[in-house]
Amino acid sequence: MKKLIVSSNYQVNTYNYSKALKNSNDAKEVSASRSDSNVAISQNGSNAVDRIHSIAARYDVNDISQKERVEMAGELMESGLISSGVGLHLVAPRGMNEKPNDRSDLLTGMKESLIVDNSPLNSEHMKNKLKAISILEELKSLRSR
């Protein structure tokens, strides 16, 4: 039997088991479309899913203030959904004169900044920037559902 276990934020491990988990206290089993597959989501994974949905509902990444970006990044880091390096990309000022309540389109701005960023693709800076864009896209997607 093939089992997909989500144990934390964005951490997915696939295991092959001969028996289904029957005595697991921290996993919810959900039957998949095939009869020989199950999906088990640990309590941490389930909490992370709930948390990201909650964050997505409160923050519009296409219309967000600098103050809200700081709050959102803090919540994402506290939840373990992003690293501090990714968080820094989310909270970085968008301009020299940005005020805490000035609103901007964070997702579009970050995507546009890729055009002028000369960092190597394999650099830690670029990896964190791409992860930041990815989490913003996920938040936008969840918000629009």
Side-chain angles (χ1 to χ4, degrees):
M1 176 180 296
K2 192 167 185 153
K3 190 165 281 287
L4 178 68
I5 298 178
V6 180
S7 61
S8 66
N9 313 325
Y10 301 108
Q11 179 183 8
V12 179
N13 296 308
T14 303
Y15 297 96
N16 288 314
Y17 286 103
S18 60
K19 295 192 221 177
L21 287 174
K22 292 192 179 193
N23 298 326
S24 176
N25 292 331
D26 71 339
K28 294 186 262 181
E29 290 191 14
V30 180
S31 293
S33 60
R34 291 181 33 207
S35 62
D36 65 340
S37 297
N38 287 321
V39 175
I41 301 176
S42 73
Q43 190 61 46
N44 287 343
S46 181
N47 290 343
V49 170
D50 293 344
R51 188 74 168 151
I52 197 165
H53 281 278
S54 172
I55 292 168
R58 287 193 318 276
Y59 300 102
D60 180 354
V61 299
N62 294 116
D63 183 28
I64 190 167
S65 70
Q66 193 270 336
K67 181 182 174 191
E68 290 170 328
R69 287 196 322 259
V70 170
E71 293 168 1
M72 179 184 71
E75 290 181 42
L76 290 166
M77 286 186 290
E78 287 172 14
S79 299
L81 294 166
I82 63 171
S83 67
S84 59
V86 173
L88 288 174
H89 282 279
L90 298 177
V91 301
R94 302 290 155 224
M96 294 291 292
N97 299 322
E98 184 179 41
K99 294 178 178 65
N101 293 319
D102 289 349
R103 303 191 79 71
S104 65
D105 184 342
L106 178 60
L107 177 56
T108 301
M110 287 196 69
K111 286 180 177 179
E112 289 173 352
S113 75
L114 286 173
I115 297 168
V116 296
D117 196 328
N118 294 324
S119 301
L121 283 177
N122 64 348
S123 70
E124 197 66 27
H125 165 79
M126 189 59 81
K127 288 176 186 177
N128 285 335
K129 185 178 233 179
L130 292 171
K131 287 176 186 175
I133 291 170
S134 177
I135 193 74
L136 292 174
E137 288 175 333
E138 181 67 17
L139 291 169
K140 179 180 178 176
S141 171
L142 291 171
R143 185 176 176 85
S144 64
R145 289 184 191 168

